[in-house]
Amino acid sequence: MTSTDTVPIWRTHLPRPVRRQTHLDVAQILKSGRMTGGPLTERLEQSLAAAFGRHAVAVSSGMDALELLLEAAEAQGRDVLIPANCFPSIPALADLLGARPHPVPVDPVHLAMTEEVADVAATALLPIAVWIHHAGMVAPHAQRTITRLREAGCTVIEDCAYLLPDDHPDNGPGTWGDMALFSYAPTKPLSGNGGAIALLRHAEHAEQVAGRRSHSGQEQRWLDGDAFHRGRTLTEFDASVAYWQWQHRAETRSSLRSLARAYTSHFTASGCPALPAGRTPQDTWGRFTVDLGSPAIAWQAREHMEKNGIATTQMFELPWSGYRALPGATALQSDLIPLLQRTVCIPYHPALPISDARRVAKFVIDALTQKGHR
């Protein structure tokens, strides 16, 4: 098998107009010598702020954005409700900031928190909810549940790292909670070299987040006992890529929509239950997530695809509470493990040929009809 036969799970894709316009920006960056905190960062922030009707602050990564948002929410001493199916780094951040992370149940179809999280929040201490739109999948109950949480006094942070915003995002995900973040990491739908945007309702919170991006020039804060551990500013180069990816996101969405149609048409034609009832591909998707029926079938299918040059990722092996380094490790939620282990992301990126999508779909269909395991 040659390298051209491989099908990556994701490939960073910059359309031709993005490459051309970023190239022109880089020439200006090099001429000006302004590598951080310059006009390109301001342009990105202004564009996102106008689109979402929120205050926008650019930072160096999604994890930095989340940490800064938790700081702005004064997370210390508060209960932080986090879906059990997330990267351990998220509850680890809450723990680092002196909060109490708690795993909460997950909707098996849309992979978001269940609506019952509002009842959990009612018994929590000054709760914060980190609502994750996993794989860019927006649960139909997301807006009303987030609204219920906020009305009950819960601070809601929307993690939109894998979400592809539409043309008019000012009344969609990212605006329902108190705060939100979008990522421009290489594996995200609006990918670049890195970076993230924090969106905030209130100007004072935005000023706080912006003020904490730098670790230098802040000696007075150190004297006051406020420790800065690292710089979290966005480079002008990353701001340029992020801005132009944002401007040309309709092209990205169109490519992903075509791939989604290719996958679903093959699944439907073969009667393959790769998408549980109700999990309908959305324009917001930044990943294509299938349910392979059982952990055993998922393991065999992934192994079979790997041998044939097709990359996949498992959603998670364990709930985050299954890691001993994290608080709440005793609440393993073993009933969730089969769902996590059978949930698989298959190749899905703007540069993926439709022919490769058909090839991947056949492996999924064979796995779920047992053709691939006879």
Side-chain angles (χ1 to χ4, degrees), residues 17-346:
V18 175
R19 297 197 302 271
R20 181 176 64 251
Q21 290 160 322
T22 302
H23 176 80
L24 295 174
D25 282 346
V26 169
Q28 290 301 314
I29 294 169
L30 297 176
K31 183 178 179 180
S32 71
R34 189 79 177 269
M35 299 297 173
T36 62
L40 302 187
T41 298
E42 294 175 4
R43 180 182 65 180
L44 174 65
E45 292 175 331
Q46 291 169 1
S47 179
L48 272 291
F52 284 94
R54 295 287 183 272
H55 303 278
V57 182
V59 296
S60 55
S61 74
M63 279 294 100
D64 283 336
L66 181 57
E67 183 174 7
L68 290 165
L69 292 177
L70 286 168
E71 288 180 348
E74 299 180 348
Q76 184 173 6
R78 300 179 68 176
D79 290 337
V80 181
L81 311 180
I82 305 170
N85 58 332
C86 78
F87 288 112
S89 56
I90 294 177
L93 277 180
D95 182 52
L96 179 69
L97 295 173
R100 293 179 296 276
H102 296 278
V104 295
V106 173
D107 166 19
V109 174
H110 303 98
L111 307 177
M113 293 184 189
T114 63
E115 294 187 72
E116 286 70 30
V117 68
D119 299 325
V120 177
T123 62
L125 179 62
L126 300 172
I128 297 172
V130 179
W131 189 286
I132 303 176
H133 299 286
H134 274 302
M137 199 181 306
V138 181
H141 61 272
Q143 182 178 10
R144 66 174 177 266
T145 307
I146 289 172
T147 299
R148 284 184 60 201
L149 287 167
R150 294 190 65 245
E151 288 174 347
C154 180
T155 302
V156 180
I157 301 174
E158 291 184 78
D159 183 339
C160 305
Y162 279 98
L163 190 144
L164 182 59
D166 65 18
D167 293 334
H168 304 285
D170 56 331
N171 192 34
T175 68
W176 299 329
D178 298 275
M179 308 171 180
L181 66 94
F182 285 83
S183 174
Y184 297 101
T187 58
K188 304 305 190 292
L190 294 178
S191 53
N193 186 54
I197 284 286
L199 296 175
L200 306 102
R201 285 178 177 266
H202 303 296
E204 61 269 25
H205 288 153
E207 291 171 3
Q208 178 183 343
V209 170
R212 294 185 66 83
R213 287 180 294 190
S214 175
H215 66 286
S216 60
Q218 303 286 350
E219 289 79 4
Q220 184 57 50
R221 293 196 180 190
W222 284 86
L223 287 171
D224 293 339
D226 187 3
F228 283 70
H229 300 290
R230 62 189 179 280
R232 294 178 281 203
T233 56
L234 187 68
T235 69
E236 287 285 271
F237 172 76
D238 291 341
S240 172
V241 174
Y243 174 80
W244 291 115
Q245 288 282 63
W246 170 260
Q247 294 298 319
H248 294 280
R249 66 190 184 280
E251 180 179 339
T252 300
R253 186 184 305 110
S254 177
S255 298
L256 294 179
R257 189 187 295 133
S258 296
L259 290 171
R261 284 198 296 262
Y263 278 132
T264 53
S265 63
H266 278 72
F267 296 153
T268 301
S270 64
C272 174
L275 294 175
R279 188 184 295 177
T280 304
Q282 306 163 6
D283 286 351
T284 55
W285 278 22
R287 282 286 185 270
F288 201 96
T289 307
V290 296
D291 190 324
L292 294 185
S294 73
I297 293 176
W299 182 84
Q300 293 173 22
R302 294 188 66 212
E303 184 180 55
H304 193 199
M305 284 191 271
E306 181 181 1
K307 289 178 179 178
N308 285 273
I310 298 173
T312 62
T313 59
Q314 183 183 57
M315 185 163 204
F316 300 103
E317 186 176 359
L318 294 171
W320 64 258
S321 57
Y323 294 89
R324 289 191 301 168
L326 295 170
T330 55
L332 185 56
Q333 293 185 271
S334 58
D335 58 322
L336 182 61
I337 293 176
L339 171 66
L340 297 183
Q341 295 183 348
R342 70 179 193 251
T343 300
V344 174
C345 293
I346 56 179

